[in-house]
Amino acid sequence: METVTLLELNGRVRSTLQFEMPDAYWVQAEISGISPSGQGHCYLELVQKDPTGRTFLAKAKANVWRNTWLRIKPFFEAETGETLKVGMKVLLQVTVSFHEVYGYSLVVQDIDPTYTVGDMARRRKEILEQLARDGVIGLNRELEIPLLPQRIAVISSATAAGYGDFCNQLAGNVYGFRFYVKLFQATMQGDDVERSVIAALDAVAAERDKFDAVIIIRGGGAVSELSCFDSYNLAFNIANFPLPVITGIGHDRDDTVADVVAHTKVKTPTAAAEFIISKVFDAASILETLTRRMGESVSERMNLEKLRIERMTQKLPSLFAVVRVRREQMLENMWNRAVTGLNSLITSNLHRLELLEKGVNSSDPIRILERGYTLTRCNGHVVKGASDLKRGDRITTVFADGSVESEII
């Protein structure tokens, strides 16, 4: 049996790979790790998963040497508008390498951005189809922006240039309109965008009665960082939000999923401010037109009423004489009815008083006692029956002319 050292065995593996696989291959894979080095190289972890995305079918390390990295990185970003990142599916041209110490790896020679663009488009399409199946894709557009949208909730980074541009544009509008703006801070780039923006939306929803609309401002940053807005969870929250959502995340390329489900999409934060100003200007124009029409209507009505009063003034003396005779006759009739009614009321009330007096007199306790009845008390209480007394009780019997005390034997 032949015995070899590990170095010899690895050397044979290396020679076999170089002999059997000397060519470059286009490999489809998903990036599970990416680590740029200080020397300008980039190290990738590539994986292939099963259709469920839960089980790894294959893994490999891939090295992108400095010269290649400096070439393919800007090319890929320019073609896709994205940076290479974890979770992205790529088509790489690689050669197979084996090192006696570092083992098996792939050396990246080139990249095909069209494959990634196609995968991104497919994923974006799947998200939009899922939102459509959920019946939410057009919900936010069904909301109406108020006639005077002057209370604005802004979701952005406090340090973003776009947020400053938005506020300056609103504050410096040539019409002198005043706006109330409150910032709800969120991360607008990187892996934390989805969680951060959703948290900001939740914070706005808790105070939704204070605002007319919500504006999501990205402002600044690379176009390559837009994919964070192609998120199902973020889009679902925007679509179901109780206030109109306006997106101004600074790009001219195809709309993100967030743009599609928002009420209104504008290109930049400045454009978002101009949109709000235009809404208020339209309302102000309507109010100005209505005010002018109202003034004209009031003036016309006043002229008509003035003419009518003048005509009535001419007829007033004769009308007054007729009205005076009628009113005097009416007052006389009312006086006669009042006197008759008052006399009848006095007679009726006198009769009632006589009857009440008789009833009071007949119910007078003294009169009752004078007819032979008595009132018996025991311990200060009126005795209503023999069962209320017992042997030894002392009672007081009241007559019309006095009282006596007795003892129950």
Side-chain angles (χ1 to χ4, degrees), residues 27-304:
V27 176
Q28 299 173 354
E30 179 181 322
I31 298 176
S32 64
I34 182 167
S35 303
S37 73
Q39 290 76 32
H41 311 304
C42 184
Y43 304 107
L44 303 177
E45 292 284 344
L46 303 178
V47 298
Q48 180 181 344
K49 300 177 182 177
D50 69 354
T52 67
R54 299 172 183 169
T55 303
F56 292 111
L57 301 179
K59 291 184 180 181
K61 296 179 180 179
N63 304 320
V64 190
W65 303 128
R66 183 175 183 275
N67 291 338
T68 304
W69 181 243
L70 292 176
R71 173 174 53 85
I72 69 171
K73 179 179 182 295
F75 170 66
F76 180 85
E77 292 176 356
E79 292 294 317
T80 65
E82 297 285 339
T83 57
L84 288 166
K85 57 188 174 183
V86 172
M88 182 174 285
K89 292 184 178 180
V90 291
L91 180 62
L92 302 172
Q93 186 184 47
V94 301
T95 56
V96 179
S97 172
F98 187 87
H99 190 277
E100 287 81 352
V101 175
Y102 303 110
Y104 166 76
S105 64
L106 304 175
V107 178
V108 176
Q109 306 294 334
D110 203 352
I111 188 169
D112 184 355
T114 58
Y115 174 83
T116 302
V117 169
D119 182 70
M120 290 165 55
R122 176 192 57 77
R123 183 181 62 180
R124 182 174 175 274
K125 180 181 177 183
E126 290 174 351
I127 292 174
L128 290 173
E129 289 175 348
Q130 182 61 51
L131 291 168
R133 286 193 296 271
D134 294 340
V136 303
I137 199 165
L139 285 182
N140 199 255
R141 289 194 296 273
E142 295 177 2
L143 301 177
E144 291 187 7
I145 296 179
L147 192 62
L148 289 170
Q150 294 180 285
R151 305 174 303 163
I152 309 300
V154 177
I155 296 177
S156 181
S157 169
T159 58
Y163 173 63
D165 294 341
F166 174 82
C167 292
N168 292 335
Q169 189 76 6
L170 282 187
N173 71 88
V174 297
Y175 310 107
F177 299 145
R178 294 291 177 264
F179 296 90
Y180 168 69
V181 177
K182 181 175 180 180
L183 173 66
F184 292 81
Q185 291 204 62
T187 300
M188 303 307 290
Q189 59 184 24
D191 296 335
D192 197 40
V193 169
E194 177 186 294
R195 182 207 62 78
S196 182
V197 174
I198 291 175
L201 286 169
D202 291 341
V204 176
E207 304 180 44
R208 59 182 176 274
D209 293 339
K210 299 179 181 179
F211 302 103
D212 300 315
V214 180
I215 297 182
I216 300 176
I217 294 174
R218 176 173 168 266
V223 175
S224 61
E225 296 163 347
L226 286 175
S227 62
C228 53
F229 293 94
D230 286 329
S231 156
Y232 173 83
N233 290 333
L234 177 56
F236 188 85
N237 277 267
I238 292 174
N240 284 280
F241 202 71
L243 294 174
V245 177
I246 301 166
T247 56
I249 55 180
H251 64 99
D252 296 323
R253 298 175 67 91
D254 294 338
D255 295 343
T256 66
V257 175
D259 292 323
V260 173
V261 299
H263 183 283
T264 302
K265 175 251 180 181
V266 295
K267 293 181 179 179
T268 64
T270 300
E274 292 172 349
F275 175 78
I276 293 298
I277 294 170
S278 69
K279 284 290 184 181
V280 178
F281 175 79
D282 291 343
S285 299
I286 293 172
L287 291 175
E288 184 178 354
T289 301
L290 292 175
T291 301
R292 185 180 66 255
R293 290 178 180 175
M294 183 180 294
E296 294 171 351
S297 177
V298 169
S299 178
E300 181 180 353
R301 183 60 182 270
M302 288 181 66
N303 290 333
L304 291 174

Side-chain angles (χ1 to χ4, degrees), residues 346-357:
I346 291 173
T347 302
S348 175
N349 284 335
L350 286 174
H351 181 64
R352 282 188 65 203
L353 286 173
E354 290 175 358
L355 293 176
L356 288 171
E357 184 178 6

